[in-house]
Each structure stands twice: as structure tokens, then as C-alpha cells.
Amino acid sequence: MATLILVRHGRSTANTAGLLAGWTPGVALDERGAAQAAALPGRLAGIPLAAVVSSPLQRCLETLRPLLDARPELEVRTEDRIGECHYGDWSGRKLAELADEPLMAVVQQHPSAAVFPGGESMRAMQARAVEAVREWNARIDEEHGEDAVFLMCSHGDIIKALVADALGMHLDLFQRIHADPCSVTAVRYTRLRPFVLRLGDTGDLAGLAPRESRGAGPAEGPGTVGGGAGAT
């Protein structure tokens, strides 16, 4: 089935200010984030994209703008279910002051029990994101074939929750996963199980191109005995 490329948005003004942005409007990329976004088309060069889907939040749409400018044939479609966690009353607050909240220990150590005041639970966040990815994956697979690659631009906690699901990990372990701003995580969903191909990658992505594009043999892929030959 199709391969999903998950891009975390570039570094934002909230990241540098130490704020928990959530769905706060007007959070843009900072200078570093804009540079990260500008480099994204080059990193993805040679990888055909069947579709581009984004969180509706400004920082994600800004991250995708250079890629869409470089590939005018692509149109971004927004998907609320891969939008940031609804942090409720915590949104817009400084992370340094939130560290003293009793709930923060739950978020870090037992996130499946965490419910943000005035917001959503982390379980609900993961469930909606996984549902969205599975639906989009089936749609891309049906419309473009099982070797298709599509991209979603989302947020750190969403990407970590999706990776935990792909790895068969309990949500309580998802804080062990890390994804830097504008990093790439890739998951190939097969009929039997998902394979995590990249995790928080900030470098070369040539190995994500379909097999025929990079000269790999037809039998090589996720789960190849011996580990496979990697990118050519």
C-alpha cells in the first residue's frame, strides 16, 4: 500500500518563544523555520507525490509553500484531524510555567490518561490522527496504486502518536519518540503491518523514491531478510 511521508512544520515563533501553541491563530514560521521550508523541495526531489495534505494551521501551510511553488501540479488539501492537539486552557502558555502543573507529569509519563483542561485527551488526539491517515492511505492506494507516495504536514505530538501506532506501541510510550521541526518521518502501510522507513530525518530522502525510480530490485522493500541494500 501507499507510503506516507510525515513532515513536521518548520520552526515556529512559538517554538522559539517557548510557548505551547496548540490551535492559537497567527503562529508563523520564524526565520529558521522559513529556511527549513525552503530546503524541503530539494530534499524531496525525485520523489513523486500523489497528494499533499496539511494540518489547517498556518505554520504547516507556510512549511509547504516552497514545495507547492516548486511543484505547481500539486494542490494542498487540509485535514483537521491531523491538526495540533487541542490543548485547551494550556494553549498559548509558556512551557516553563506548565512544567509545574501536576498534569505535566501525567502528559510525560502516562499520556493515555491525560486530558487537557478545556481541550481534548491525548487518546482522542491519537485516534483522530490514525483514523485520518488510514482513510487517506486507502484513498491514495485506490486512486494511485500501492507504490504511490503522499505527504502530510503536521505537528510533533501528532507525528509521534502516529509513529507509536505504526510501531504497535502503547500511547504511554510515545514520549520516547522525537521529531525535530521540518524533519521527515515515513511509514509504509502494508496489508499486514506498517513499516517505519524514516524517523525524524533531517537529511537525504532519496531512499523513499519508489523502487523503480532508484533501481532497487523488485523483491527489496520493508522487511527484506538481511535488512536490504538501502538507497542506491
Side-chain angles (χ1 to χ4, degrees):
M1 297 178 71
T3 297
L4 168 62
I5 293 178
L6 286 162
V7 177
R8 185 185 171 194
H9 63 78
R11 196 174 74 176
S12 72
T13 53
N15 294 145
T16 48
L19 300 175
L20 185 65
W23 285 71
T24 304
V27 176
L29 299 184
D30 69 3
E31 185 176 349
R32 171 62 177 160
Q36 291 170 334
L40 193 59
R43 294 174 61 207
L44 292 168
I47 301 176
L49 296 175
V52 175
V53 185
S54 179
S55 156
L57 294 173
Q58 178 180 339
R59 52 198 183 273
C60 287
L61 294 171
E62 287 183 357
T63 298
L64 291 175
R65 179 47 51 195
L67 176 65
L68 297 171
D69 288 344
R71 302 198 194 187
E73 73 280 6
L74 292 174
E75 177 184 356
V76 66
R77 287 171 278 188
T78 58
E79 170 60 78
D80 285 356
R81 292 175 295 175
I82 62 167
E84 182 62 283
C85 185
H86 291 278
Y87 296 116
D89 298 343
W90 279 26
S91 298
R93 292 181 61 187
K94 286 189 172 294
L95 290 166
E97 68 180 45
L98 289 172
D100 295 328
E101 295 278 354
L103 178 59
M104 184 59 84
V106 181
V107 170
Q108 292 298 321
Q109 299 178 43
H110 189 22
S112 65
V115 182
F116 293 99
E120 70 179 333
S121 70
M122 301 200 88
R123 285 181 291 106
M125 173 201 76
Q126 183 187 44
R128 63 172 164 85
V130 168
E131 179 183 60
V133 163
R134 297 287 184 165
E135 287 182 9
W136 275 98
N137 190 77
R139 177 177 175 179
I140 296 299
D141 191 54
E142 180 179 355
E143 294 178 0
H144 300 277
E146 63 181 15
D147 282 330
V149 181
F150 70 109
L151 182 148
M152 284 184 161
C153 188
S154 189
H155 307 266
D157 277 350
I158 296 289
I159 292 171
K160 289 160 55 179
L162 289 169
V163 170
D165 172 75
L167 292 173
M169 293 170 54
H170 196 283
L171 182 61
D172 285 345
L173 302 177
F174 100 126
Q175 297 290 18
R176 302 182 183 194
I177 300 166
H178 181 74
D180 279 327
C182 221
S183 63
V184 166
T185 294
V187 182
R188 180 168 173 81
Y189 291 90
T190 74
R191 289 174 178 80
L192 296 180
R193 59 187 179 274
F195 293 89
V196 177
L197 307 178
R198 291 287 192 282
L199 178 58
D201 196 322
T202 56
D204 178 73
L205 301 170
L208 295 178
R211 291 187 296 272
E212 59 273 18
S213 299
R214 64 177 192 264
E220 184 177 312
T224 301
V225 176
T232 58

